[in-house]
Amino acid sequence: MAEGRETDAIAERPVELAYRPTVGELASALRARARSTGAGRFRGRALVWTVAVTLVGALLSTAGSSHRDTPWPLYAGVVAVAALMTATPWLQARHLHRLAERQGDIRGTVDDTGVRVTTAHSSAAIDWHLYPRYVETPELFVLLSADRSAVGFLVLPKRAVADPKEVDRLRAVLDRRLVRADATGAPGGPRSRGRAVGRGAGSVALLLLGLLLFFFAFTAVRTTTRPDHFPGIQNNTAPIAVVLLGLGTLAVAGAWRLVRRMAAMRTVTAVLAVLVLLAGGTVLYRVGPMLHCWGAARIARGPEGAYVCYDF
């Protein structure tokens, strides 16, 4: 009986925290919030696609006789906007950190009734219904408000507890009272298994896409590398082949990223990725000697194997 009461007392004892948030922690919390909301995920995907399309357009527009008409101001503007979007969490974190510094050190307790926070100038008791979900990162627990955009959030650094074992107690309290907003879902659950199958299928699809792009890259320069079958001056398609090689490499990297945390698929994907990249390396071996003619409209291979550039 006494042992049972002691165990209950330990379970009910609040988890105590003492910390002062850093800029890095606040930026990490903002990124975690973005990954857990539909709007944040949409902005992230839009940023990736914008940069990818801009990069492809810039590479293609510098090829051939049209390279003098490349709209560099437009590309520079897109890159600047992308850089600003990428830096936004850090800029916001800097602003939030200045506000937090005015409060000084933060002390708090977390138990099944909620979170209580005390600073040098204020104190607050926060009920769980204000933050019904949370995200865990390697360094933080980030509590999110109920609205779809998660405008409100509360950062609980794992370093704030005195004993590392208290992190497990804190996680247990959050799991009892809140819902995880992590994109991965609960390990072993049906949703998690469904995501794992989807990631595996997506990884295979990306590997096949990478292989297909490498094949197209080889096809793009096939006539130039075979002067015995296709003699004379050819259109310079080496820049197109380079773009296809780059996209194929990105597809392989995406395939690895999808399964990097899945032990079952990681080894298989790594082996297939190496084979696909070897195919890409073979194409790059053919394209490499042509790259000095990047801005030329046409190209021809001489009898000794060297490539001659023609800008007409």
Side-chain angles (χ1 to χ4, degrees), residues 43-67:
R43 286 194 297 269
R45 295 188 185 107
L47 176 61
V48 171
W49 281 107
T50 299
V51 172
V53 171
T54 302
L55 178 61
V56 172
L59 289 173
L60 291 178
S61 64
T62 58
S65 58
S66 63
H67 64 88

Side-chain angles (χ1 to χ4, degrees), residues 215-237:
F215 173 76
F216 287 153
F218 169 77
T219 304
V221 297
R222 182 169 177 269
T223 58
T224 309
T225 57
R226 301 286 300 276
D228 51 335
H229 290 78
F230 307 97
I233 300 175
Q234 308 288 339
N235 290 327
N236 183 14
T237 55

Side-chain angles (χ1 to χ4, degrees), residues 136 149 187 190 220 231 255:
E136 181 178 359
S149 299

Side-chain angles (χ1 to χ4, degrees), residues 132-187:
R133 51 195 174 133
Y134 82 97
V135 179
E136 181 178 359
T137 74
E139 299 85 18
L140 309 170
F141 294 105
V142 185
L143 280 58
L144 304 175
S145 58
D147 55 287
R148 295 180 60 182
S149 299
V151 174
F153 67 98
L154 180 64
V155 182
L156 302 178
K158 294 180 180 179
R159 64 175 176 83
V161 298
D163 187 349
K165 295 180 180 178
E166 293 288 275
V167 174
D168 294 331
R169 289 188 58 233
L170 179 55
R171 184 185 297 108
V173 173
L174 297 178
D175 284 337
R176 285 197 301 269
R177 307 301 301 180
L178 307 181
V179 176
R180 274 184 175 267
D182 303 65
T184 53

Side-chain angles (χ1 to χ4, degrees), residues 23 26-27 30 88-100:
V23 175
L26 292 171
L30 289 168
T88 295
W90 184 81
L91 296 174
Q92 292 177 332
R94 292 277 298 179
H95 177 69
L96 293 173
H97 184 257
R98 285 196 295 268
L99 297 177

